[in-house]
Amino acid sequence: MRNSVSEDDTESNILNENGKRPKDSDGQVKKRIKTKSLYRQPTANELNRLQETEQLFNSNLFRLQVEEVLEEVKVKEKTIKRFTEWFNNLKTYLLSITNDETEYDLSEKSFVNKLKIQLPVCRQIQKTKVMFKFHKFHDVDVVGSYALGCGIKSKLIVDLQITVPAETYAKNDSINYKYHLKRAAYLAYIASYLSKYEHIDEINYSYLNSETKPIIIIKPSGKLAKAVTVNLDLVCEAEAYKLHRFAPDRNNLRESWLLGTDKKDTNETLTPTPYYNSSVLRDLTANVNQEFLKQIILNSENLKQAIVLLKIWVRQRKLKVSGYIISMLVAYFVQNKRVNNIMSSYQIVRNIWIALKSSEWDVKGITLCKENSSLDEYHNHFPLVFLDKTGCYNIFWELCKGTYYALRRESCLAIEILDDVKINSFIPLFMKPITPLIQFDHIIGFKDLKAVQDAVISRAVSTSKANYGLDLLTMVTNILYDLLMKGLGQRVDLVLQLVDHEFSWPINNVMENAKKNGYKELLSFGLILNPEMLSSTVDRGPSADLPEAEQFRDFWGEKSELRRFQDGSITEACVWDGQGTVPKQIVDYLMKVKYGVCSVFHWSRLLSPLVPSSSSSSSVRSSADVLRTRLADLELPLDISSVQGVSPVFSSTEPAPPLRHSEHNPRRRGDASLIKDQGEFRLPPYVRANTLIIELIHSGKWPGELQAFRCLKAAFHLQIAEKLKSQFNLATLARPEYLDVLQDGLVFRLKIAHTKEITLLRRELVKGVVTLRETDESLQLYCDTVIMPKLRGALHGLDRRYSAFAPTACLFKRWLSSHLLHVPGAAAELLVAYIFLQPAPLVAPRDYDTGLYRVLTLLAQHDWGKDPLVVDFNGDMTREEMSELETKYREISPRPHVFIVTPFDGECPGACSGGIGPEVTSRAVTLARAALGHAEEALHMMKDDILGLFIPSLVGYDVIIHLFPSLVPLYSHRVGANRLQPVNDDPGSAELIPVVEFNPVELYLEELRSAYDEFAVFFNDPYGGDVIAVLWRPSVEEERQLEVLNANALKPVSVKENSYKVNLDAIVEDFKILGKGLVKEIVVNNN
Amino acid sequence: MKSTKKTHDFKALELKFDKDSVSPHVIYFKEHTVREHTADKPSGRTLFIINVPPYADEKGLTNAFREAGKVVSVILTSKPNSTETKTDTFLDEPTKPTFKVCYLVFSKVADLDKALKLTELQPMNSNEHQIKVGISKWIEEYNNSIEHPKALKSKIESFMQDYDKKMAAQQEQEKELEKADDEGWVTVTKGGKIQSFARTEKVKNKIMEKEEKNKKRKELKNFYTFQIRESKMKHIVSLRQKFEEDKKKIAQIKQSRRFKPF
């Protein structure tokens, strides 16, 4: 409320202008205070706030949420108090360490023996002879985010820093890791002291990024331990070395030392070691930069808030960008006047995102130092450049290109999300954690990382070996990253390395020994694919006569071939197989050719056995088109105005799309086959009908009475059937509700739809006035004939736009059904559509595996029962409409648990998601969480068999009804079964309509549900599940009284007291009776 | 206590599906007594049964009670009701299996008394009767559902003829009403010559809307000072309202602990 004073004045002025008003309003105020209504006089503060929100923040909601989250992550006062006390004690203790006059040779055991703890560096560094003497340090500082006041409560780490006096290091200690060794010795010296300190629970060694630069991790004793971890780091006085000694083109790490060769240094040209240099420079410049940060950030509340927000944003995305880098970036933008403290935190964050989005730090670096302008020099040696205050140290030295590109890409997305007014952008930006599982379309892992690492190192050039020194993992990561980027090129939007090598070990242990148990370095790469290149199988190289062609051939080896293209050009090109995914082939090929690595783990398309081929869906669609033109040619009393498909197959979202059938069945009636009921019964192949909705041109002559209306509709069905038969010689079967037509061996079910029928169903007479009331039947009809045709069209559009949509929908439907969850197909499809239409904070998935994990995440994270899910297909809905829907949703009673709205819903919002109960929802949410956990684990363990996700657990059900598999339609579709080869396409040979949609399991379930719904719930997998799981409703255990209207299935317990119970045994026997011939066995779980 | 007394009238016996049934349902029955007996459920000869299992059919129940005497008719319905409602529908409503009630009419009054004294019922699947259930039932249903086009056609034709006749009769009746009756009253109907608006909700709403509009048009919005003041206030109020709404939303999100980012 900075401007509140001035606002106050103007406010009172306005009031005084009108002589009458003060008195008038006084009176009103009194009245209003009584009612405490919205009409109270606004105060200056309030007006100010309302105004400020409009100008400085995106929206009220955004501002409130920012405030909430900042409050949530703020470090508690209590913790600060406790820590300050603890730190002061620690400081006094540490400062009591005195100089040690003895000089130790660090390559010998004497130092370690004296300290009784180990040095925190690897043995290789320790081979150098270095004389070390401990000089007392002068201060212990709190640095980093905690000192700046932008710490985050969860996993709070306080950074302490001790500045090592310059005299510790000798002049030539800068080379060959002598500096690092001394630093480690200094740290060990302090650690040995700390180990005797009483207010510490635990003390461990660890390192940040590089193994050569250890730190101490302290767990304070007492209650503080829960809230805080303390990292103790060492830096060096700036006077120790001249900074230019570590300029990027200087060499400070001799190859002869590193590789143990005996070559004299003088004989070789010294290669630059920018990476090694930076690791020393970081210590030398730390104090200057810390001071600079303090100056800019410490007293600027809004900057601090912005930093906290950015940190949350980065942490949710699991990007390896430290808080230090974020703070430095913010400071840079402050210095460059892109942001300032007067801006609101929202504006700062937004400006930084915009700046990040357009940044090109891989070619045009940035610097905090005004004098220095030798950025080019740095670009030659570093992939990314951001120079610090001194102009010598590259803050981005450890940052990988992949991370930077990811950061830039995320910033782009963040701006897009912010600009989308229709969503509450705060949630996707700051509240949704992004895991590799849902983010990447393809993850490449290495089962035997050690072997890969050795292979890469053995073929690495010596310059990079010298540069990275002992940080082998970093080197391997960067080399592989470059290889992947070059190999995959346009095919990927992003390659991001996923490295995990965090490690800490007790101070009395040697690092190598500690690593032996339980430590595993992990390196994998996540790919986000470029949707435009998904289907291309050819990578075109340069024209054959250009010099670049030679390089291309070098890189691709024998895979590169000369090709002549349709446009006449002759270029080098690589041609890949169209069967598997191309990125997989490229990676496999490159890893094999370049490093001889054969076993690369691919986390991509692991669920392909469950994805139906798209060809059968498209053949259904083309046959439907033929039928459509034929229908248009018919001469009918009323012309057909439209024919629209409503079956899932029309948007390719049918997990078991229909196949052509040609059946030879002697029993027939009219054009239709009958089921043989004599002799041994064999289940006819399951034929799905593809439903089309027919609309006729408008006519006022439809009867105004429901039964007559239906009768006339039946007459139309009959007539269409007759005409189709006589004009095109198609097999037809007319029924009152619909007619079946056989076109190209596929059965199409045509239904005439007319809105009048819905109106007739809704009609009701109340006090002589005709009112329209929604009934179950009318809602169903509305859903089937009005919403579905439009929805199916939109979903088909989505299928054309995103190739991953339809397979994802199939997988998700299969997942739901395999876990016996009864969710309407349309609702499942809409959930999948949602993640493609509103993928924030990510982009729409390119592949179905990722798609499935995204839907499961949506299922697990969405607030069912509180928030509606709005699936807006073409951005047709306005924000007002959406919020109106939200309020409407809250008013419905009883509030449906799952409420999915589409723009097509019209007068019945949420019609597609009706009938999903809270039990189903909560079970689905639990299962989704478990499935994600399972997948996460499989990814971590690099297992490629994850079909287990689709195997249900039958534990916990009361009764399991086993069916004869031979009578279960689609039995061959169940998970783990061998896929049936599609029957040869043989249109024309079939003259009879086969037995359509005869599903004994479905019929059985219908009977069970209709008879026993009040006692039990029935679950079944419609895709070949041969069990029906039954759960008793909790009320069956209760004792009841016998009443005429409520006598079902009761058995007497004691007649005198009129006490009865539900006869469960009899019901189970009924299951057997009703399912005669189908039920193999019934197992009752008594637990 | 009334209900207790009533239920005590029922006699409970096990009704077996076939002779091998292990745990059959218990059915409850008594004499059918209501104030007004209809012809199909004659007084004194009708047995009222509740909790009849879903698969039970007429023949089966006759079998069960065959020791009591000759059964003339069996009426199975899902709910006990005294009057038979039979609307003429074009489509047959599909029969869904549920627990039912049954009215069993014996040929003699004595048989009913015998039935009430029975100590055991015969299984339904006996006496060479097999209730169709399971696969064979579904096959039969499927095959029956397939009609020859000719059959369908004649069905449609007969229904439409009936319907047309009915409509004609209705129109006739309405015309009758149009004429002034003895006291000179005329009934206004939809089909008549006298224009009237349809009595539907839609029409009602339309008229009401029109009225509202007319009212609004007559009003001046910013004539008086208080009106201007009020409109300003309204703006603030709407801002406030939005603010309050947002606050509510936040509270809701907070409740679901969504503000814990990690």
Side-chain angles (χ1 to χ4, degrees):
Chain A
M1 308 302 117
R2 287 174 306 279
N3 318 331
S4 59
V5 181
S6 61
E7 284 285 331
D8 240 338
D9 291 345
T10 50
E11 180 70 11
S12 56
N13 280 345
I14 293 168
L15 282 174
N16 291 340
E17 267 172 17
N18 191 338
K20 241 182 170 179
R21 242 173 113 190
K23 195 184 161 193
D24 212 320
S25 59
D26 271 354
Q28 283 170 345
V29 166
K30 257 183 207 165
K31 238 190 242 164
R32 274 165 198 158
I33 283 170
K34 256 187 223 160
T35 52
K36 219 187 169 188
S37 76
L38 283 162
Y39 289 91
R40 67 185 182 277
Q41 281 292 314
T43 63
N45 255 351
E46 197 190 342
L47 271 182
N48 194 19
R49 195 192 148 101
L50 290 175
Q51 201 183 2
E52 202 184 64
T53 307
E54 253 170 45
Q55 287 165 0
L56 298 180
F57 286 86
N58 200 350
S59 66
N60 247 328
L61 198 60
F62 199 91
R63 178 181 193 166
L64 285 168
Q65 290 178 106
V66 167
E67 281 165 10
E68 261 334 300
V69 81
L70 287 176
E71 191 55 41
E72 186 62 47
V73 298
K74 211 168 113 187
V75 182
K76 276 188 198 156
E77 288 292 331
K78 218 164 48 185
T79 315
I80 296 180
K81 219 174 109 193
R82 278 199 195 123
F83 175 75
T84 322
E85 198 188 321
W86 181 85
F87 172 67
N88 286 334
N89 289 335
L90 180 82
K91 195 171 165 182
T92 3
Y93 177 74
L94 280 176
L95 287 177
S96 68
I97 304 176
T98 51
N99 281 335
D100 189 342
E101 292 304 325
T102 3
E103 211 173 356
Y104 305 96
D105 181 353
L106 291 180
S107 57
E108 285 171 17
K109 287 270 173 212
S110 59
F111 182 64
V112 172
N113 289 344
K114 189 205 166 232
L115 293 183
K116 298 196 187 71
I117 59 169
Q118 296 294 330
L119 285 185
V121 281
C122 58
R123 290 228 173 82
Q124 210 182 345
I125 291 184
Q126 296 180 36
K127 72 185 179 186
T128 327
K129 187 180 164 74
V130 173
M131 300 310 287
F132 173 74
K133 205 165 134 185
F134 184 81
H135 295 275
K136 182 176 155 45
F137 53 87
H138 305 293
D139 206 357
V140 185
D141 301 310
V142 184
V143 294
S145 61
Y146 182 79
L148 293 173
C150 34
I152 289 180
K153 190 170 79 179
S154 111
K155 293 184 201 152
L156 178 66
I157 293 172
V158 179
D159 293 309
L160 300 185
Q161 176 181 299
I162 289 176
T163 310
V164 180
E167 58 263 34
T168 313
Y169 302 110
K171 205 181 164 200
N172 68 344
D173 280 352
S174 62
I175 61 160
N176 292 355
Y177 284 114
K178 283 187 197 164
Y179 171 84
H180 297 81
L181 182 55
K182 278 198 172 174
R183 190 179 173 280
Y186 202 97
L187 195 72
Y189 201 90
I190 296 171
S192 78
Y193 254 84
L194 280 177
S195 61
K196 289 167 210 138
Y197 186 57
E198 53 185 333
H199 295 302
I200 289 177
D201 257 7
E202 216 181 303
I203 171 163
N204 279 322
Y205 285 135
S206 179
Y207 48 79
L208 299 168
N209 295 329
S210 166
E211 285 177 19
T212 55
K213 301 196 65 186
I215 56 168
I216 298 175
I217 295 186
I218 304 168
K219 225 171 161 193
S221 60
K223 279 182 183 166
L224 202 55
K226 267 186 213 155
V228 178
T229 327
V230 178
N231 282 4
L232 179 69
D233 199 2
L234 295 185
V235 297
C236 177
E237 280 181 353
E239 296 82 53
Y241 297 103
K242 289 255 165 27
L243 294 181
H244 65 80
R245 264 184 97 146
F246 303 100
D249 54 345
R250 297 289 288 268
N251 173 295
N252 281 303
L253 182 59
R254 310 288 185 254
E255 229 174 282
S256 55
W257 177 86
L258 184 69
L259 306 174
T261 50
D262 295 328
K263 263 195 286 176
K264 283 275 174 278
D265 289 350
T266 45
N267 293 351
E268 57 184 344
T269 46
L270 294 176
T271 54
T273 54
Y275 187 86
Y276 174 88
N277 294 355
S278 296
S279 78
V280 184
L281 265 179
R282 189 195 153 266
D283 291 359
L284 293 174
T285 56
N287 279 328
V288 182
N289 290 322
Q290 187 62 36
E291 203 46 48
F292 168 68
L293 271 184
K294 255 189 192 161
Q295 203 186 322
I296 290 194
I297 290 166
L298 195 57
N299 292 318
S300 315
E301 256 340 287
N302 287 351
L303 288 179
K304 277 190 212 168
Q305 289 186 359
I307 291 175
V308 171
L309 286 179
L310 283 172
K311 274 166 89 172
I312 296 175
W313 176 70
V314 163
R315 214 200 264 192
Q316 295 289 31
R317 276 147 190 79
K318 303 199 175 42
L319 291 175
K320 295 259 158 102
V321 180
S322 63
Y324 179 71
I325 289 183
I326 294 173
S327 310
M328 280 312 248
L329 277 174
V330 172
Y332 167 78
F333 288 118
V334 172
Q335 189 178 303
N336 264 23
K337 306 207 166 48
R338 274 204 84 132
V339 297
N340 56 47
N341 191 38
I342 297 167
M343 293 178 168
S344 71
S345 52
Y346 160 74
Q347 283 171 314
I348 297 174
V349 171
R350 188 188 166 89
N351 270 316
I352 286 174
W353 278 334
I354 291 176
L356 263 169
K357 182 182 159 186
S358 52
S359 69
E360 288 180 310
W361 297 330
D362 45 348
V363 283
K364 273 186 231 154
I366 48 175
T367 171
L368 280 167
C369 173
K370 277 159 193 152
E371 301 100 57
N372 187 312
S373 59
S374 62
L375 281 175
D376 287 346
E377 176 73 49
Y378 281 85
H379 275 298
N380 290 337
H381 296 285
F382 292 103
L384 302 158
V385 179
F386 176 23
L387 297 188
D388 72 337
K389 204 62 194 153
T390 64
C392 294
Y393 167 58
N394 181 10
I395 296 168
F396 283 163
W397 67 287
E398 279 178 319
L399 198 65
C400 295
K401 261 188 176 174
T403 315
Y404 167 63
Y405 291 141
L407 192 70
R408 196 165 70 178
R409 191 168 171 280
E410 287 297 338
S411 303
C412 273
L413 289 174
I415 292 295
E416 268 170 38
I417 296 169
L418 270 188
D419 288 346
D420 188 349
V421 288
K422 283 183 192 166
I423 52 172
N424 176 4
S425 44
F426 186 83
I427 302 282
L429 281 175
F430 298 106
M431 289 298 153
K432 287 203 174 149
I434 298 172
T435 57
L437 190 68
I438 58 169
Q439 185 182 16
F440 297 112
D441 305 309
H442 188 150
I443 295 172
I444 298 161
F446 305 101
K447 273 186 182 155
D448 189 359
L449 185 60
K450 193 85 202 113
V452 176
Q453 209 165 328
D454 291 343
V456 173
I457 292 167
S458 66
R459 299 186 196 194
V461 284
S462 60
T463 45
S464 55
K465 274 191 210 168
N467 183 18
Y468 289 106
L470 296 171
D471 289 318
L472 297 172
L473 188 62
T474 317
M475 177 168 82
V476 171
T477 309
N478 285 334
I479 290 175
L480 287 180
Y481 175 80
D482 288 339
L483 179 78
L484 289 176
M485 274 307 264
K486 195 165 176 196
L488 295 166
Q490 290 292 308
R491 291 184 180 277
V492 286
D493 279 354
L494 181 74
V495 176
L496 182 63
Q497 76 288 350
L498 305 164
V499 191
D500 186 10
H501 66 144
E502 269 175 36
F503 182 56
S504 65
W505 68 100
I507 52 172
N508 50 15
N509 206 344
V510 185
M511 180 160 74
E512 280 84 352
N513 289 346
K515 273 190 178 179
K516 271 174 200 152
N517 36 32
Y519 170 74
K520 209 175 155 198
E521 284 178 338
L522 291 175
L523 172 65
S524 44
F525 290 91
L527 313 182
I528 295 179
L529 304 176
N530 179 357
E532 284 153 23
M533 297 288 287
L534 279 182
S535 51
S536 99
T537 51
V538 180
D539 280 325
R540 274 173 79 162
S543 179
D545 45 3
L546 291 176
E548 288 93 338
E550 189 59 37
Q551 288 174 13
F552 188 84
R553 272 195 295 276
D554 273 354
F555 183 74
W556 289 107
E558 58 189 24
K559 197 76 192 172
S560 165
E561 46 189 271
L562 215 50
R563 281 218 157 205
R564 190 192 154 98
F565 287 90
Q566 274 182 337
D567 57 1
S569 58
I570 301 173
T571 67
E572 291 288 335
C574 295
V575 183
W576 306 100
D577 189 2
Q579 291 297 320
T581 66
V582 177
K584 178 174 187 280
Q585 296 173 46
I586 293 180
V587 172
D588 280 343
Y589 173 74
L590 286 178
M591 286 309 287
K592 185 150 195 269
V593 167
K594 302 279 171 188
Y595 300 111
V597 176
C598 293
S599 62
V600 182
F601 170 73
H602 291 277
W603 179 266
S604 151
R605 298 209 175 169
L606 296 180
L607 298 170
S608 56
L610 291 172
V611 175
S613 78
S614 60
S615 64
S616 37
S617 290
S618 55
S619 77
V620 171
R621 276 199 299 272
S622 57
S623 294
D625 286 339
V626 176
L627 189 61
R628 212 168 267 149
T629 50
R630 290 187 165 178
L631 281 168
D633 288 347
L634 295 186
E635 275 182 34
L636 295 167
L638 286 175
D639 282 341
I640 290 171
S641 68
S642 80
V643 181
Q644 284 165 307
V646 290
S647 295
V649 71
F650 291 106
S651 58
S652 314
T653 49
E654 174 58 63
L659 302 168
R660 295 178 202 281
H661 280 286
S662 46
E663 204 186 331
H664 305 287
N665 199 326
R667 280 209 62 189
R668 59 186 284 182
R669 186 177 296 147
D671 281 346
S673 321
L674 298 178
I675 307 171
K676 274 181 253 181
D677 48 7
Q678 256 103 49
E680 197 192 341
F681 173 68
R682 277 183 60 231
L683 185 73
Y686 187 68
V687 178
R688 214 182 272 279
N690 308 298
T691 310
L692 294 161
I693 297 286
I694 293 182
E695 256 179 69
L696 302 172
I697 56 164
H698 182 76
S699 156
K701 285 187 179 161
W702 288 96
E705 203 259 331
L706 188 63
Q707 294 306 325
F709 183 95
R710 286 187 169 161
C711 181
L712 210 59
K713 214 169 76 169
F716 262 104
H717 287 142
L718 190 65
Q719 197 161 17
I720 294 176
E722 276 171 4
K723 294 258 160 126
L724 278 174
K725 193 170 167 62
S726 61
Q727 281 191 27
F728 301 104
N729 198 21
L730 295 177
T732 56
L733 170 69
R735 298 201 189 205
E737 305 92 338
Y738 53 80
L739 73 128
D740 283 345
V741 187
L742 191 72
Q743 166 80 44
D744 303 336
L746 293 162
V747 178
F748 290 91
R749 181 159 289 182
L750 309 177
K751 286 185 186 174
I752 289 177
H754 196 287
T755 42
K756 189 156 188 180
E757 191 174 355
I758 302 167
T759 320
L760 289 175
L761 278 170
R762 284 181 190 161
R763 201 163 190 168
E764 201 174 289
L765 266 178
V766 179
K767 289 181 196 158
V769 178
V770 176
T771 34
L772 299 180
R773 286 268 166 86
E774 207 67 66
T775 60
D776 287 348
E777 217 178 335
S778 72
L779 194 67
Q780 188 62 41
L781 194 65
Y782 184 76
C783 200
D784 289 348
T785 59
V786 179
I787 302 178
M788 270 325 274
K790 292 186 211 156
L791 184 62
R792 193 55 67 200
L795 288 173
H796 180 49
L798 211 58
D799 170 37
R800 305 271 293 265
R801 219 162 105 205
Y802 302 105
S803 61
F805 166 71
T808 306
C810 293
L811 279 179
F812 183 53
K813 280 173 151 182
R814 282 303 302 266
W815 183 82
L816 286 172
S817 74
S818 71
H819 288 283
L820 316 182
L821 295 165
H822 196 64
V823 173
E829 282 160 13
L830 283 173
L831 275 177
V832 177
Y834 183 82
I835 60 143
F836 281 86
L837 292 164
Q838 292 212 339
L842 302 149
V843 291
R846 326 287 198 220
D847 227 337
Y848 41 77
D849 281 26
T850 326
L852 180 70
Y853 302 133
R854 295 257 191 103
V855 192
L856 293 180
T857 315
L858 172 69
L859 193 60
Q861 286 180 353
H862 189 84
D863 223 343
W864 301 112
K866 285 197 180 118
D867 276 339
L869 194 79
V870 182
V871 185
D872 187 7
F873 275 92
N874 302 314
D876 302 333
M877 293 170 101
T878 60
R879 193 174 167 93
E880 285 70 41
E881 277 176 327
M882 286 190 189
S883 57
E884 198 180 305
L885 270 173
E886 245 165 76
T887 36
K888 213 189 248 171
Y889 168 64
R890 276 177 235 296
E891 280 157 13
I892 305 173
S893 111
R895 201 190 287 173
H897 216 69
V898 176
F899 193 68
I900 306 174
V901 203
T902 67
F904 314 117
D905 287 0
E907 44 207 293
C908 317
C912 295
S913 59
I916 308 175
E919 308 91 2
V920 174
T921 323
S922 68
R923 180 147 176 90
V925 168
T926 323
L927 283 168
R929 289 211 181 108
L932 285 172
H934 181 85
E936 202 89 55
E937 197 190 293
L939 173 60
H940 191 75
M941 307 295 287
M942 299 195 203
K943 278 192 284 187
D944 42 17
D945 180 24
I946 51 166
L947 289 180
L949 287 181
F950 288 81
I951 294 169
S953 148
L954 293 176
V955 180
Y957 291 103
D958 293 317
V959 182
I960 307 286
I961 305 174
H962 293 271
L963 311 173
F964 286 112
S966 63
L967 296 181
V968 176
L970 301 176
Y971 187 65
S972 60
H973 278 76
R974 74 197 189 286
V975 177
N978 295 328
R979 263 297 160 93
L980 274 187
Q981 288 305 309
V983 182
N984 284 345
D985 278 5
D986 190 12
S989 76
E991 292 157 355
L992 278 189
I993 292 177
V995 176
V996 184
E997 298 200 343
F998 178 69
N999 186 342
V1001 182
E1002 202 48 51
L1003 292 165
Y1004 181 44
L1005 272 171
E1006 253 169 48
E1007 290 194 354
L1008 288 179
R1009 288 197 179 118
S1010 115
Y1012 305 105
D1013 190 53
E1014 54 179 313
F1015 308 113
V1017 200
F1018 301 90
F1019 304 90
N1020 168 253
D1021 175 5
Y1023 297 101
D1026 58 348
V1027 291
I1028 292 174
V1030 187
L1031 212 54
W1032 298 122
R1033 292 190 189 273
S1035 60
V1036 295
E1037 296 296 334
E1038 290 165 12
E1039 289 204 352
R1040 305 178 183 208
Q1041 297 198 331
L1042 188 76
E1043 288 160 31
V1044 173
L1045 286 174
N1046 196 3
N1048 296 354
L1050 293 188
K1051 65 174 179 194
V1053 179
S1054 101
V1055 183
K1056 276 199 181 123
E1057 286 156 35
N1058 188 14
S1059 117
Y1060 293 82
K1061 264 189 120 173
V1062 177
N1063 195 350
L1064 294 185
D1065 296 336
I1067 293 180
V1068 172
E1069 198 169 296
D1070 288 358
F1071 293 166
K1072 210 173 232 164
I1073 293 171
L1074 285 176
K1076 195 178 159 201
L1078 175 68
V1079 175
K1080 189 167 129 196
E1081 192 190 3
I1082 294 182
V1083 180
V1084 181
N1085 294 333
N1086 293 319
N1087 39 15
Chain B
M1 283 299 101
K2 202 178 160 195
S3 65
T4 341
K5 206 183 149 208
K6 215 160 116 193
T7 48
H8 270 220
D9 301 345
F10 280 104
K11 188 173 161 66
L13 277 182
E14 288 187 342
L15 176 67
K16 284 185 174 177
F17 178 71
D18 52 24
K19 62 181 191 304
D20 302 327
S21 291
V22 186
S23 41
H25 279 290
V26 181
I27 58 168
Y28 308 92
F29 55 91
K30 63 169 185 177
E31 190 186 341
H32 178 58
T33 46
V34 281
R35 229 170 285 151
E36 284 170 34
H37 279 277
T38 46
D40 53 348
K41 296 162 201 162
S43 157
R45 288 192 287 138
T46 310
L47 192 67
F48 176 50
I49 313 172
I50 56 172
N51 191 25
V52 179
Y55 40 81
D57 63 352
E58 283 86 351
K59 191 85 193 289
L61 285 167
T62 315
N63 269 342
F65 283 94
R66 69 169 181 269
E67 287 195 343
K70 198 169 170 242
V71 175
V72 188
S73 81
V74 181
I75 302 164
L76 276 169
T77 55
S78 57
K79 272 187 190 133
N81 54 348
S82 45
T83 50
E84 274 297 283
T85 48
K86 179 93 172 119
T87 49
D88 87 277
T89 52
F90 172 63
L91 300 177
D92 304 325
E93 292 288 320
T95 48
K96 284 186 176 171
T98 49
F99 282 94
K100 282 171 276 198
V101 298
C102 173
Y103 300 94
L104 212 63
V105 184
F106 289 98
S107 60
K108 285 178 280 179
V109 179
D111 293 344
L112 178 73
D113 292 338
K114 244 192 254 167
L116 288 169
K117 280 178 194 133
L118 282 179
T119 52
E120 195 190 13
L121 296 177
Q122 296 302 313
M124 288 194 282
N125 267 355
S126 56
N127 210 5
E128 286 168 18
H129 174 66
Q130 290 280 334
I131 299 176
K132 272 224 162 161
V133 283
I135 288 282
S136 53
K137 178 185 169 213
W138 300 321
I139 293 173
E140 192 181 270
E141 275 174 1
Y142 182 87
N143 286 348
N144 287 345
S145 77
I146 290 175
E147 262 175 312
H148 208 273
K150 274 180 200 154
L152 181 62
K153 197 168 188 171
S154 65
K155 202 163 123 191
I156 292 171
E157 272 165 7
S158 75
F159 186 88
M160 276 327 272
Q161 263 168 14
D162 285 356
Y163 176 73
D164 286 343
K165 259 184 222 160
K166 216 169 69 186
M167 289 313 281
Q170 206 175 335
Q171 230 160 18
E172 200 66 23
Q173 203 185 358
E174 278 180 8
K175 268 200 189 128
E176 283 295 307
L177 285 169
E178 290 270 300
K179 288 173 193 158
D181 64 5
D182 300 344
E183 293 170 32
W185 289 103
V186 171
T187 316
V188 179
T189 58
K190 210 163 60 178
K193 279 178 220 150
I194 304 163
Q195 281 295 312
S196 69
F197 56 82
R199 291 202 65 194
T200 63
E201 206 179 28
K202 215 164 131 193
V203 178
K204 206 170 98 188
N205 288 346
K206 237 184 215 166
I207 296 167
M208 296 306 253
E209 250 169 55
K210 228 178 190 175
E211 288 277 288
E212 284 282 298
K213 242 188 204 166
N214 283 344
K215 243 189 220 169
K216 266 189 188 164
R217 223 181 36 203
K218 284 175 196 158
E219 250 180 354
L220 265 180
K221 275 279 163 59
N222 44 4
F223 185 73
Y224 296 105
T225 334
F226 83 89
Q227 281 179 321
I228 298 168
R229 207 191 301 142
E230 261 177 18
S231 80
K232 270 189 191 166
M233 198 64 201
K234 254 183 206 157
H235 177 66
I236 292 179
V237 165
S238 77
L239 275 182
R240 267 184 192 155
Q241 241 161 0
K242 178 109 205 322
F243 185 66
E244 289 300 318
E245 250 170 52
D246 286 347
K247 260 209 227 155
K248 246 186 238 162
K249 224 183 224 172
I250 295 288
Q252 198 205 330
I253 304 177
K254 213 168 154 184
Q255 224 180 19
S256 45
R257 297 171 62 82
R258 292 265 287 274
F259 280 116
K260 289 220 184 291
F262 311 115

